[in-house]
Amino acid sequence: MKRKLIIIIVILVLIIGGAYLFYSFYIESPSRQVLAHVNDERITVEEFNRELAKLESPLREMYREDPLQFLEGMIIKKLLLQEAKKEVPEKPKTYKDITKASPEEDLISNLMKKRFSTPPTVTKEEIKEFYSFFKEQMGGKSLDQVSSEIEEILRQEKLKEETRKFILGLRTAAKVQIDQIRLQKISSKPPESNTEEDFKNALKSGKPFLVDFGANNCLPCRQMRPLLKEIDKEYVGKVKVLVIDVYRYQNLAREFKIQLIPTLIFFDKQGKEIFRHIGFMDKEKIVAKLKEIGMET
């Protein structure tokens, strides 16, 4: 009886173990995990990871933190390919075609060329209106001198708007189902920023400090983060470098009249703003400015 019980327990363990392995390596395999159904096609976690890996850092990390944004781009591409296969007849494949990479980009390109083969019309009234509105930026040139340039600008803007409406129409008409739970599972946590309390402490520290007013979804902000961390570490005790998220601490952003990000503001030992820079700033220039406002070397 005891022996039979042991055998039954062993069999149950094997069954449970086998079921777990089947679930882990088959059902939960990235190639079988579906993130989205796009009409009659699927986008899997494996596809998502493969496409994401093509991007460089920090853009890759930004999309990993907000995977829905990247997934939407993949959905649009899938819809354009589906439309292309319906509208653009496939050419007979040659041996050269078979050995080439996937022709997806060519299919989409041909679709767009066919769909927008006729350039948008730009009227003389639209050109005059544009010239009248931006006359001060024309460098004193007459309407006749810049007419052709304005026409091309307006044509390109109209083409962008037509393209946007076309893509929006495809997305609206499509049957798309997104697995939000699975999407959440593959997302990563965004990096932490400093707090308003950290900012108040820096004001009272008696040392110069730098504040980067930015956001996690801002590419130049993220490109500067490693540089700012290096400076904070290399000059520890001599200067403080803070990163303030303008969306989280909107009161600070309003107080310092932040209009564009990233905005770097340099404060002296008394907590007085000495200098500000909008946009990316390299490490050497940041360090030089910090020394200039009183950072000990």
Side-chain angles (χ1 to χ4, degrees):
M1 190 67 183
K2 188 176 180 180
R3 185 179 178 184
K4 286 183 179 180
L5 182 60
I6 293 172
I7 293 172
I8 291 171
I9 291 172
V10 170
I11 292 172
L12 286 173
V13 168
L14 290 173
I15 291 172
I16 293 170
Y20 174 77
L21 290 173
F22 177 78
Y23 179 80
S24 299
F25 295 101
Y26 184 75
I27 300 297
E28 284 299 301
S29 168
S31 63
R32 301 187 66 83
Q33 294 180 46
V34 179
L35 277 179
H37 287 90
V38 185
N39 292 325
D40 57 346
E41 295 186 56
R42 305 181 308 165
I43 295 176
T44 65
V45 172
E46 183 179 58
E47 290 175 76
F48 179 91
N49 290 335
R50 185 170 62 244
E51 292 300 311
L52 194 64
K54 295 176 183 178
L55 302 180
E56 294 185 0
S57 181
L59 192 58
R60 182 172 59 248
E61 289 78 18
M62 290 168 65
Y63 278 129
R64 178 64 75 181
E65 293 156 18
D66 183 16
L68 180 59
Q69 187 179 357
F70 190 72
L71 180 61
E72 279 291 345
M74 293 183 68
I75 289 170
I76 295 302
K77 182 178 179 181
K78 186 79 73 176
L79 291 171
L80 286 170
L81 280 169
Q82 291 174 359
E83 192 69 14
K85 290 172 183 177
K86 288 192 290 185
E87 293 196 12
V88 181
E90 290 190 44
K91 297 177 182 179
K93 290 184 180 180
T94 64
Y95 175 75
K96 188 177 180 180
D97 293 325
I98 295 170
T99 55
K100 280 178 15 179
S102 173
E104 292 182 348
E105 300 301 329
D106 287 339
L107 278 171
I108 293 175
S109 177
N110 290 335
L111 169 69
M112 302 309 278
K113 286 177 183 177
K114 180 183 176 183
R115 176 67 64 164
F116 303 104
S117 57
T118 305
T121 302
V122 177
T123 66
K124 291 182 179 180
E125 288 72 22
E126 289 172 328
I127 295 173
K128 288 179 182 178
E129 185 179 350
F130 184 95
Y131 178 78
S132 177
F133 193 82
F134 293 101
K135 189 174 182 179
E136 292 182 3
Q137 285 81 43
M138 296 297 173
K141 294 181 180 179
S142 67
L143 175 60
D144 289 338
Q145 288 176 305
V146 295
S147 180
S148 58
E149 294 176 24
I150 293 174
E151 183 179 2
E152 184 58 28
I153 290 171
L154 292 175
R155 182 173 288 114
Q156 290 301 320
E157 287 302 313
K158 285 189 172 186
L159 182 58
K160 285 180 185 177
E161 180 60 18
E162 288 180 9
T163 303
R164 187 191 69 81
K165 288 181 178 178
F166 171 61
I167 291 174
L168 181 61
L170 288 178
R171 181 65 175 85
T172 304
K175 185 179 179 182
V176 178
Q177 293 177 314
I178 298 174
D179 190 330
Q180 296 289 349
I181 296 175
R182 182 160 281 154
L183 195 66
Q184 185 63 34
K185 284 182 179 180
I186 67 169
S187 67
S188 60
K189 187 179 179 182
E192 293 290 337
S193 62
N194 292 104
T195 65
E196 190 169 358
E197 188 65 28
D198 294 331
F199 180 80
K200 291 177 181 178
N201 290 336
L203 284 172
K204 298 181 290 186
S205 67
K207 293 174 182 171
F209 65 99
L210 166 64
V211 181
D212 168 25
F213 286 93
N216 285 330
N217 61 354
C218 158
L219 183 57
C221 300
R222 295 294 291 267
Q223 289 172 328
M224 278 199 302
R225 294 285 176 86
L227 307 180
L228 297 176
K229 284 184 179 180
E230 287 176 12
I231 294 170
D232 193 45
K233 186 176 181 180
E234 289 173 16
Y235 297 92
V236 63
K238 300 176 180 179
V239 71
K240 187 65 180 173
V241 180
L242 304 180
V243 174
I244 296 294
D245 190 315
V246 296
Y247 299 118
R248 187 175 179 184
Y249 298 103
Q250 295 181 27
N251 57 327
L252 284 177
R254 283 193 296 268
E255 181 181 346
F256 289 94
K257 297 179 174 59
I258 306 300
Q259 296 181 328
L260 297 171
I261 56 174
T263 293
L264 297 175
I265 301 184
F266 295 77
F267 295 85
D268 64 11
K269 295 177 181 180
Q270 287 73 42
K272 180 183 176 183
E273 179 183 336
I274 301 299
F275 178 77
R276 70 169 57 195
H277 175 87
I278 298 173
F280 183 88
M281 191 174 187
D282 63 42
K283 182 179 177 181
E284 290 73 19
K285 289 181 180 178
I286 293 173
V287 172
K289 180 58 68 173
L290 288 170
K291 290 178 180 179
E292 184 183 313
I293 68 172
M295 181 182 75
E296 297 175 6
T297 56

